[in-house]
Amino acid sequence: MENRQPDVDPAVVATADDIAAMRTRGAATIADAAAKALATQAERAETTQPAAFERQLRAAAETLYETRPTAVSLPNALRYVLRGMDGETVSELRATTIARAEEFRAELAQAQQQLGEVGSNRLRDGDVVMTHCHSTDALSCLEAALEDGKEIEAIVKETRPRKQGHITAQQLREWGVPVTLIVDNAARRYLDEADHVLVGADSIAADGSVVNKIGTSGLAVNARERGVPVMVAAQTLKLHPDTMTGHTVEIEMRDETEVLADDQRADITGERDDDGLVVENPAFDVTPPRHVDAIVTERGQFPPESIVTLMRELFGETTGEPWEP
Ligand code: RUB
């Protein structure tokens, strides 16, 4: 990473590098890794000055924050942990920060399990579910349905360019779920065989729009046209507080080599040095609320248009940068 703030522990920088390179990926997993990294920073901070300790924690949070812009679970996690940093001495600050990070991680796991039970109630024995990308929140719904004894089959979209659908397929096969893996372009054809589309979310805006892996919105439009309900599994950690005050969610643009490797470029351009070939690689897109049937959270399921009520309840006050006191 470019950002090498002084006093940020190398383990935090390593976590930030893993998130940026997508070795750690998926909104909930990123949030969990960020909270763990802040606990590590708190454990290892070498100072006897409370102000310096706090500065180091905020610098660590900033380093983590700058990795990926779209998943709001990352700033929400950082904010949650830093708000728990409390005390007069370094040892008090250290203990409260570590305890808060542990609390966050436990709540994250619990919320995922709870939303899984809610999502599972929407699934019937024998249902076929189409998935996109790899979402641990979405998989939690399937896991809960399987634990309830329901037979579920899955049509798994491969999800170009990084093919996170393979991770979904691997997990589902471990659970014994019959999987049909398809290329993204085949999704509309296979919707006729699906009873549900089930996806996760990186951010949910106040108007109920769902920001998720690129291709989610096209899938949702096709599903609506085919009469297949679209379920979004998303812990409340995915609700984006800034959107209540009119901000939009930044869509991450990733490196073009994920789409076209350097050594494939010549297949198109030949020997020419051709700057007329542009490759764009947006990682996420926005699905409008009218194409989503239900947002399933640990607090129950919501029609997307009503999610703002829950957001107001959870984030009453406006929020600044996660590292701001
Ligand atoms: C992952 C993605 C997932 C959400 C939700 O994108 O879009 O659907 O992050 O995942 P990427 P989870 O692979 O680029 O991180 O439910 O695990 O939070």
Side-chain angles (χ1 to χ4, degrees):
M1 283 201 77
E2 288 302 303
N3 186 334
R4 300 277 179 212
Q5 298 223 41
D7 301 327
V8 173
D9 191 88
V12 175
V13 175
T15 300
D17 286 344
D18 284 345
I19 295 171
M22 287 176 63
R23 289 184 291 274
T24 299
R25 51 146 301 281
T29 309
I30 289 171
D32 184 63
K36 187 173 173 212
L38 285 185
T40 304
Q41 178 72 42
E43 252 163 48
R44 298 190 184 169
E46 281 178 18
T47 175
T48 51
Q49 302 300 315
F53 179 93
E54 290 191 25
R55 226 178 10 254
Q56 287 183 24
L57 263 291
R58 297 191 195 291
E62 207 171 336
T63 300
L64 293 159
Y65 177 73
E66 281 165 2
T67 51
R68 295 191 76 188
T70 306
V72 74
S73 54
L74 175 56
N76 282 349
L78 299 171
R79 196 177 286 118
Y80 184 99
V81 175
L82 291 184
R83 285 202 177 147
M85 179 168 65
D86 188 31
E88 303 294 320
T89 64
V90 166
S91 73
E92 281 169 9
L93 289 167
R94 195 187 314 275
T96 52
T97 307
I98 293 170
R100 181 79 160 182
E102 278 165 8
E103 180 186 298
F104 174 83
R105 298 183 70 202
E107 280 181 14
L108 184 88
Q110 195 189 9
Q112 191 162 76
Q113 194 196 335
Q114 285 168 343
L115 83 80
E117 282 158 21
V118 177
S120 153
N121 290 334
R122 294 181 59 89
L123 304 174
R124 286 160 308 164
D125 189 30
D127 274 354
V128 178
V129 174
M130 184 179 287
T131 64
H132 182 65
C133 196
H134 172 252
S135 156
T136 54
D137 281 352
L139 282 178
S140 178
C141 302
L142 296 177
E143 188 178 22
L146 296 171
E147 277 166 8
D148 278 354
K150 295 173 192 168
E151 302 261 343
I152 303 287
E153 286 184 33
I155 300 169
V156 172
K157 290 180 71 206
E158 135 190 272
T159 317
R160 279 274 291 158
R162 303 273 305 215
K163 296 189 180 162
Q164 296 97 323
H166 289 194
I167 313 170
T168 300
Q170 183 194 12
Q171 178 64 81
L172 291 174
R173 285 307 302 136
E174 268 175 34
W175 291 339
V177 174
V179 167
T180 304
L181 182 70
I182 59 169
V183 298
D184 297 314
N185 295 343
R188 190 164 186 274
R189 176 188 165 113
Y190 282 87
L191 274 170
D192 287 340
E193 295 173 21
D195 300 295
H196 303 267
V197 163
L198 172 60
V199 295
D202 284 83
S203 284
I204 294 182
D207 69 349
S209 297
V210 172
V211 184
N212 192 50
K213 180 55 53 183
I214 191 81
T216 303
S217 65
L219 176 62
V221 169
N222 280 329
R224 174 49 49 103
E225 188 252 347
R226 283 289 208 252
V228 181
V230 176
M231 166 173 19
V232 175
Q235 320 183 25
T236 54
L237 185 68
K238 315 289 180 65
L239 303 179
H240 204 308
D242 294 351
T243 60
M244 284 191 293
T245 48
H247 294 277
T248 49
V249 178
E250 184 186 341
I251 300 293
E252 177 185 6
M253 298 298 285
R254 293 193 61 85
D255 199 285
E256 63 179 61
T257 55
E258 291 183 344
V259 176
L260 188 70
D262 284 337
D263 60 358
Q264 294 171 320
R265 219 180 155 83
D267 297 346
I268 301 173
T269 61
E271 295 302 302
R272 275 169 292 125
D273 195 8
D274 188 352
D275 60 7
L277 173 65
V278 176
V279 179
E280 300 232 322
N281 186 16
F284 302 100
D285 65 19
V286 182
T287 303
R290 66 181 180 280
H291 294 132
V292 174
D293 290 86
I295 298 177
V296 169
T297 78
E298 74 278 16
R299 302 247 184 157
Q301 69 166 351
F302 294 81
E305 293 81 3
S306 75
I307 206 78
V308 67
T309 318
L310 181 61
M311 285 175 90
R312 285 209 190 97
E313 196 185 307
L314 294 172
F315 309 100
E317 73 231 64
T318 35
T319 48
E321 300 291 10
W323 52 86
E324 281 171 6

